[in-house]
Amino acid sequence: MTAPTADIGRLFAALQFAAHKHRAQRRKNRDASPYINHPIDVAALLTEHGVTDPATLEAAVLHDTIEDTDATAAEIDRLFGSDVAGLVREMSDDKRLPKADRKRLQIEHAPLASRRAKLIKLADKTCNIRDITSSPPADWSLQRCVEYFDWSDRVIAGCRGSDAGLEGAYDEAVATGRRVLASDGAFELPT
């Protein structure tokens, strides 16, 4: 098997694993779309911006498995190798901590992350902002959407300098999201 064929096979194995682990999960959006759409979108955005590193793409597909499913770092290490497992660990919040602590730690850890983890973080936050803009969680107020955008900006500040194209995609998603949310007219959004 040639290297590109092996890489594609590993990416599909990661997709199958993530799909299985997220099989009962739905996104919080109004449509309650299948959760697996999100990690696929994250990996697709990375490829749109020239990311071809197999481990980064595999980790993008797997980035929420430790945090949101019964998958373990050891399992990912065994199936996909220590490089991929390390990236997934960098992306994972410790769900044992209160939400406010997890959010604070994402801001604090972003500047310390590896470049590849920063790329995944940029794509992840961009996809989240796009999703909130197009189909916000049914139970989120406009204010909560704005608070997510503001928090996401603080996380992404720690990823700046990693990839101009992904940073531009994030900035465009936030600008579009703020315009769309502001057009609702419920309140004035900060810029």
Side-chain angles (χ1 to χ4, degrees), residues 11-90:
L11 180 58
F12 275 99
L15 283 164
Q16 287 176 318
F17 180 86
H20 175 73
K21 291 297 184 178
H22 291 296
R23 70 189 176 280
Q25 295 175 324
R26 308 299 271 183
R27 292 290 278 172
K28 294 178 184 177
N29 61 10
R30 292 181 185 135
D31 299 331
S33 59
Y35 193 88
I36 190 61
N37 293 356
H38 170 67
I40 292 170
D41 287 345
V42 171
L45 182 58
L46 288 169
T47 63
E48 288 171 28
H49 287 275
V51 176
T52 59
D53 172 57
T56 302
L57 296 175
E58 290 167 37
V61 168
L62 299 167
H63 80 272
D64 281 334
T65 55
I66 293 173
E67 184 176 317
D68 292 339
T69 76
D70 64 354
T72 65
E75 182 178 23
I76 292 172
D77 191 330
R78 180 175 49 79
L79 294 171
F80 302 102
S82 60
D83 194 21
V84 172
L87 287 168
V88 174
R89 276 194 303 274
E90 281 190 84

